[in-house]
């Protein structure tokens, strides 16, 4: 698949519904054909003895000044035990609907329910945010996620966090070790980029098949990591030997390069390299494990 085709079909999209004019659920299913060896983690299935959290959804939210003339779905989930926390932990998910999808490979809210019930992770408020839709800019997702700058984390801090706090009535934990950002593909590099530019905003990064390739300069991150004093962030990376290999680069090699750079710079990191392709299947199988590892003391 060449880069032009990659852009036109939105291969990087993997959430259900319509996003940038394409059916992303179909693209997820195509990407996952080689990943049938991976199944959702056991914690992704409901436990009748575990309480379910509360959910609030804003459809086509258009209140962003950072990314004007855009609309996006924003979903907020509070774990059932969030009332026990004076300041609950915070999770932010790029391509939020893909992580919410109840029949998808991750099923994030069910995993959150099960892990908070056992105390494996603290009470949490999780927000699932789709990239913006903009009729004049078909590559809005890439501009938001792939751009190596502080703009996206400023969007979270100045617009999404106030929306979450005003909606839930909770003041989110300000300790970066209690704040996680997660994403797949371009959403994965976006997660690392947000924590890199503002480690006080996010100290925990979960990247699935991150696009550390030459889309909008993300291929420079391994060198940047090696040359810059270590930042106080903890990183979990996942990729696979059948990940994308197209004009901007090899996702498998790029993630291996990132892991080597994190190791060189002595970061607290974990890299799991499997046999899968460019899908969330392997990340979903690892999802509970990755949350436990990231939130460990």
């Amino acid at each position: 698949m060449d880069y032009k085709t990659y852009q036109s079909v939105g291969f990087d999209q993997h959430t259900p519904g319509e996003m940038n004019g394409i059916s992303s659920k179909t693209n997820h299913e195509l990407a996952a054909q080689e990943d049938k060896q991976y199944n959702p983690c056991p914690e992704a299935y409901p436990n009748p003895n575990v309480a379910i959290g509360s959910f609030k959804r804003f459809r086509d939210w258009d209140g962003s000044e950072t990314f004007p003339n855009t609309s996006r779905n924003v979903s907020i989930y509070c774990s059932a035990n969030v009332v026990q926390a004076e300041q609950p932990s915070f999770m932010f998910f790029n391509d939020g609907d893909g992580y919410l999808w109840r029949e998808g490979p991750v099923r994030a809210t069910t995993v959150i329910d099960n892990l908070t019930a056992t105390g494996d992770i603290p009470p949490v408020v999780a927000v699932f945010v789709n990239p913006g839709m903009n009729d004049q800019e078909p590559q809005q997702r890439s501009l938001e996620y792939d751009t190596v700058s502080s703009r996206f984390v400023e969007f979270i801090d100045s617009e999404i966090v106030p929306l979450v706090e005003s909606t839930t009535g909770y003041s989110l934990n300000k300790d970066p070790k209690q704040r996680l950002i997660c994403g797949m593909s371009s959403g994965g590099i976006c997660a690392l980029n947000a924590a890199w530019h503002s480690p006080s905003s996010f100290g925990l990064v979960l990247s699935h098949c991150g696009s550390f390739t030459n889309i909008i300069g993300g291929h420079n991150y391994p060198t940047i990591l090696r040359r810059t004093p270590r930042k106080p962030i903890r990183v979990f990376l996942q990729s696979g030997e059948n990940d994308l290999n197209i004009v901007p680069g090899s996702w498998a090699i790029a993630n291996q390069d990132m892991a080597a750079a994190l190791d060189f710079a002595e970061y607290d990191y974990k890299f799991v390299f499997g046999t899968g392709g460019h899908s969330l299947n392997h990340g979903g199988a690892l999802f509970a494990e990755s949350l436990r590892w990231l939130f460990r003391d």
Side-chain angles (χ1 to χ4, degrees):
M1 180 180 292
D2 61 24
Y3 187 41
K4 183 177 180 181
T5 304
Y6 164 81
Q7 288 183 308
S8 65
V9 303
F11 196 92
D12 207 24
Q13 314 289 343
H14 53 84
T15 63
E18 294 297 320
M19 194 178 296
N20 289 342
I22 56 148
S23 174
S24 49
K25 180 177 178 180
T26 299
N27 289 321
H28 167 77
E29 290 170 344
L30 290 172
Q33 285 178 355
E34 295 181 354
D35 293 359
K36 294 179 181 179
Q37 69 273 37
Y38 297 116
N39 297 298
C41 60
E43 297 84 354
Y45 297 90
N47 182 336
N49 298 315
V50 170
I52 297 173
S54 60
F55 184 82
K56 173 71 174 180
R57 185 168 178 85
F58 296 89
R59 294 187 181 276
D60 300 322
W61 180 77
D62 60 359
S64 176
E65 295 181 3
T66 305
F67 299 109
N69 304 314
T70 61
S71 62
R72 68 193 72 222
N73 290 339
V74 177
S75 301
I76 302 170
Y77 191 79
C78 297
S79 63
N81 61 352
V82 74
V83 295
Q84 301 173 14
E86 189 172 323
Q87 289 190 318
S89 298
F90 178 47
M91 296 184 188
F92 183 98
F93 292 86
N94 293 317
D95 289 317
D97 282 355
Y99 286 91
L100 279 175
W101 188 15
R102 292 183 179 180
E103 297 178 0
V106 179
R107 310 175 191 185
T109 59
T110 302
V111 176
I112 289 170
D113 289 338
N114 286 320
L115 293 185
T116 54
T118 58
D120 287 340
I121 64 173
V124 66
V125 173
V127 60
F128 302 83
V129 181
N130 282 1
M133 297 283 289
N134 184 334
D135 292 339
Q136 284 70 50
E137 179 49 73
Q139 297 302 318
Q140 182 69 31
R141 178 178 184 271
S142 184
L143 291 173
E144 292 185 13
Y145 286 178
D146 292 310
T147 301
V148 179
S149 76
S150 62
R151 189 180 184 190
F152 194 79
V153 72
E154 291 167 2
F155 158 71
I156 297 172
D157 288 343
S158 65
E159 298 179 357
I160 297 299
V161 167
L163 176 66
V164 171
E165 292 186 330
S166 64
T167 300
T168 63
Y170 293 109
S171 177
L172 300 175
N173 200 313
K174 293 179 172 55
D175 181 356
K177 295 179 181 178
Q178 298 297 317
R179 298 169 69 102
L180 174 145
I181 183 166
C182 172
M184 153 78 181
S185 192
S186 291
I189 188 175
C190 180
L192 185 283
N193 185 64
W196 175 263
H197 280 94
S198 185
S200 63
S201 300
F202 293 102
L204 308 177
V205 175
L206 177 53
S207 171
H208 298 128
C209 300
S211 296
F212 301 103
T213 51
N214 192 11
I215 300 176
I216 312 180
H219 63 299
N220 292 312
Y221 257 120
T223 300
I224 294 170
L225 286 167
R226 290 172 179 269
R227 293 182 173 179
T228 307
R230 184 175 70 251
K231 298 195 177 187
I233 57 178
R234 179 179 289 172
V235 182
F236 191 109
L237 300 178
Q238 171 272 321
S239 181
E241 61 187 35
N242 290 308
D243 210 336
L244 281 178
N245 185 18
I246 54 176
V247 170
S250 164
W251 269 242
I253 292 174
N255 277 274
Q256 292 177 79
D257 285 347
M258 280 293 294
L262 288 164
D263 186 67
F264 176 85
E266 299 183 340
Y267 274 82
D268 185 5
Y269 84 99
K270 186 171 184 177
F271 177 46
V272 180
F273 189 69
T275 59
H278 198 69
S279 85
L280 268 174
N281 284 31
H282 190 195
L286 295 167
F287 189 59
E289 173 189 333
S290 60
L291 293 186
R292 289 190 188 97
W293 185 86
L294 286 162
F295 277 99
R296 78 192 193 280
D297 292 332

